[in-house]
Amino acid sequence: MIPPPQHQQDLLTFLRKASVSTDASYRAGVLQCAEWVRGRLQTAGLQAELHSTPGYPVVLGRSRHRPGLRTVLIYGHYDVQPVDPLNLWKHPPFEPWIENGIVTARGASDNKGQILAHILGVEDQLAHNDLPVNVIFLIEGEEEIGSPNLFAFLEQHKAELGCDVIVISDTTMTARRTGTLTYGLRGLVPLELSVTGPARDLHSGVFGGAVVNPVTVLAGLVHALHFRDGAVAIPEFYSSVQSLKKWEREEWSKSPLTDARLLEITGAPRLGGEAGFSALERMWARPTAEVNGLYGGYQGEGTKTVLPREAHAKLTFRLVPDQDPEVILDLAEAYFKSLAPPTVRITTRRGHGGRPYLTDPHSGFGLAAQKALMTTFGGPPALIREGGSIPIVEAFKRVLGVDTLLLGLALPDCNAHSPNETFPLENLAFGLELNKALLAEIAMVPQAGIGA
Ligand code: BES
Ligand code: MN
């Protein structure tokens, strides 16, 4: 399965846009990327426009509305993660490079290759006059920073975004050529924790011993996040966590993502985490407290005898049903404040995230997705939850009242968010076929009230 040269060219052009949303120095690249996506939707035969937001624009595309057909909203994101550490890339991250049928570049899987497969599928159906549903594309530029403006956008444009079901390819397959339906995502909520002490950096020889070091205090707070058995130590952290269903444990125990495979993919010397759960259960159905960054003091070459005035940790919590982001932040802040000594000051800053999402893979639309995966990959699909987050998915349910089908095309070893991110070209071709089959299956799901 090799995509035709024109589709490969589209992917390369898309990947050359440096659309890092978190870093303001990439602003021009992000905006160019939005415009390219708009143009590409138009070329595919859709009516497409950019909608400005206080941040980066949302790209909307629609097929000509035909009454009586189901409407499918396809969501994706054109922004990408930062590229650092840059020195670990084999080639520059925005100069995509193809070798052995695999393209390497920042955003290759997350989410450019995956959303392009949707666009190409719809383009193909439009060209053959057999698009079986109405389609709305909603492609945003702020997913990787927690979609700070999309929630308001969704509320404002609720009426125009009305649809029967949402479809997203921004998740993973458990292995190559293994169709996968993801029916749950963890939520996410960020918290920056800062410890400050003296008014300025001090000579550590002159004042060390009399003034407490903020880096030391911060290290202690970070250490206190977990018990020795790997469980999160914040009081009440687990109080609203739903337990896994028996069928889920059974289904997941057959996954090709064994502990050995996870070791191979991650390169970690051993797996770890909360005692009493399998690795997949810990990744997909248990909450975590993660340190994404920790800094303070001198980072340069050699020694500098300084007693730093401040130290910072960037934390994120991954949440599962029915944990509430605000409640978790309240608990975490109260915990840190209870532990901090009076010799320093503690401040926190809350970030944007999203709630966890869980749906039924055996619903009418879920079964339609399973059939499309079966047709495309020639075997029964894996039914999984995943540990990653797509913040807007839970809001699609809350605001629009519709479920989301997550049919990812990324592979577990695609290096998303890491150096040398990859996407297999065959998945662009499989994705095109999958998305055509999916829209055809969705069109055949009986409408509520008629039959069924
Ligand atoms: N595509 C990912 C989410 C994902 C990855 C879901 C793998 C399931 C499996 C998405 O682009 C992403 O990285 N989301 C961020 C969200 C955050 C920055 C608010 C995440 O999960 O860290
Ligand atoms: Mn991502």
Side-chain angles (χ1 to χ4, degrees):
M1 288 285 273
I2 295 173
Q6 188 47 51
H7 294 175
Q8 297 190 32
Q9 278 311 319
D10 280 332
L11 182 55
L12 295 180
T13 309
F14 199 2
L15 291 172
R16 286 189 190 107
K17 312 286 177 211
S19 53
V20 181
S21 53
T22 197
D23 182 343
S25 67
Y26 285 88
R27 185 172 170 80
V30 186
L31 294 173
Q32 275 173 30
C33 194
E35 180 48 37
W36 184 83
V37 172
R38 194 204 61 77
R40 190 61 189 79
L41 289 175
Q42 194 168 25
T43 310
L46 298 152
Q47 188 227 318
E49 58 206 23
L50 290 186
H51 287 255
S52 55
T53 74
Y56 288 118
V58 171
V59 189
L60 282 189
R62 318 180 153 263
S63 60
R64 190 177 55 79
H65 185 80
R66 287 174 298 161
L69 295 190
R70 287 205 177 274
T71 299
V72 177
L73 188 151
I74 301 172
Y75 164 86
H77 61 96
Y78 62 83
D79 65 319
V80 301
Q81 283 276 319
V83 298
D84 69 296
L86 187 58
N87 62 315
L88 295 184
W89 286 79
K90 290 183 212 144
H91 290 251
F94 297 107
E95 293 175 24
W97 146 67
I98 296 177
E99 198 174 271
N100 301 324
I102 294 173
V103 61
T104 304
R106 171 55 85 226
S109 275
D110 186 5
N111 174 233
K112 290 176 173 175
Q114 299 197 72
I115 188 65
L116 183 61
H118 276 297
I119 299 174
L120 296 175
V122 168
E123 177 176 60
D124 187 287
Q125 287 178 316
L126 279 171
H128 295 92
N129 252 322
D130 62 0
L131 184 67
V133 295
N134 296 310
V135 166
I136 305 174
F137 275 94
L138 190 172
I139 306 178
E140 69 153 319
E142 299 187 316
E143 194 273 349
E144 297 291 4
I145 52 174
S147 305
N149 294 297
L150 194 62
F151 292 87
F153 184 89
L154 195 60
E155 295 281 0
Q156 284 155 14
H157 296 259
K158 207 155 122 174
E160 304 145 62
L161 298 176
C163 58
D164 296 287
V165 67
I166 315 268
V167 167
I168 304 180
S169 298
D170 194 20
T171 49
T172 57
M173 303 165 68
T174 57
R176 207 180 145 215
R177 299 194 179 201
T178 306
T180 304
L181 178 61
T182 297
Y183 61 90
L185 292 171
R186 288 195 291 191
L188 179 96
V189 65
L191 185 70
E192 276 187 51
L193 174 63
S194 299
V195 178
T196 49
R200 70 197 76 83
D201 283 8
L202 302 173
H203 190 301
S204 66
V206 176
F207 299 104
V211 174
V212 166
N213 187 318
V215 178
T216 310
V217 174
L218 183 70
L221 294 177
V222 167
H223 178 72
L225 270 175
H226 294 93
F227 291 121
R228 290 192 67 158
D229 70 356
V232 175
I234 299 169
E236 302 299 319
F237 184 75
Y238 293 99
S239 61
S240 52
V241 170
Q242 274 184 30
S243 50
L244 270 128
K245 304 270 185 318
K246 189 163 161 268
W247 75 264
E248 302 185 275
R249 284 179 190 268
E250 284 168 12
E251 165 82 22
W252 299 358
S253 66
K254 299 179 297 192
S255 174
L257 286 172
T258 57
D259 285 12
R261 178 74 185 122
L262 291 172
L263 284 177
E264 188 182 18
I265 293 169
T266 60
R270 270 182 90 151
L271 297 179
E274 194 188 358
F277 297 89
S278 75
L280 293 184
E281 289 166 8
R282 300 198 301 273
M283 285 163 32
W284 296 348
R286 299 294 297 170
T288 58
E290 215 69 66
V291 186
N292 304 120
L294 188 62
Y295 53 105
Y298 181 62
Q299 314 280 320
E301 198 181 324
T303 304
K304 182 187 183 204
T305 51
V306 62
L307 195 166
R309 73 171 291 271
E310 61 195 302
H312 307 270
K314 286 180 185 277
L315 310 176
T316 50
F317 299 94
R318 293 281 168 180
L319 311 178
V320 302
D322 294 318
Q323 286 178 305
D324 179 287
E326 294 302 318
V327 171
I328 292 299
L329 290 178
D330 289 344
L331 295 173
E333 284 181 355
Y335 182 55
F336 291 134
K337 291 198 169 134
S338 76
L339 295 178
T343 46
V344 295
R345 286 178 209 90
I346 300 277
T347 51
T348 52
R349 198 163 87 189
R350 299 174 170 216
H352 287 282
R355 291 166 184 269
Y357 181 71
L358 189 60
T359 187
D360 176 11
H362 304 106
S363 67
F365 288 125
L367 293 175
Q370 292 196 41
K371 276 191 217 154
L373 288 161
M374 181 86 170
T375 313
T376 309
F377 294 102
L383 304 181
I384 69 170
R385 298 202 220 170
E386 283 192 85
S389 309
I390 306 176
I392 203 66
V393 171
E394 184 274 341
F396 283 144
K397 180 75 187 179
R398 195 162 28 86
V399 178
L400 301 181
V402 288
D403 284 316
T404 295
L405 300 171
L406 297 148
L407 291 85
L409 299 168
L411 294 180
D413 57 359
C414 72
N415 294 331
H417 297 207
S418 298
N420 304 306
E421 179 176 346
T422 63
F423 185 67
L425 288 177
E426 67 171 20
N427 280 12
L428 192 61
F430 277 122
L432 187 156
E433 293 305 326
L434 172 63
N435 293 324
K436 283 169 40 176
L438 179 62
L439 298 187
E441 291 292 346
I442 287 174
M444 286 191 286
V445 175
Q447 310 252 359
I450 311 169

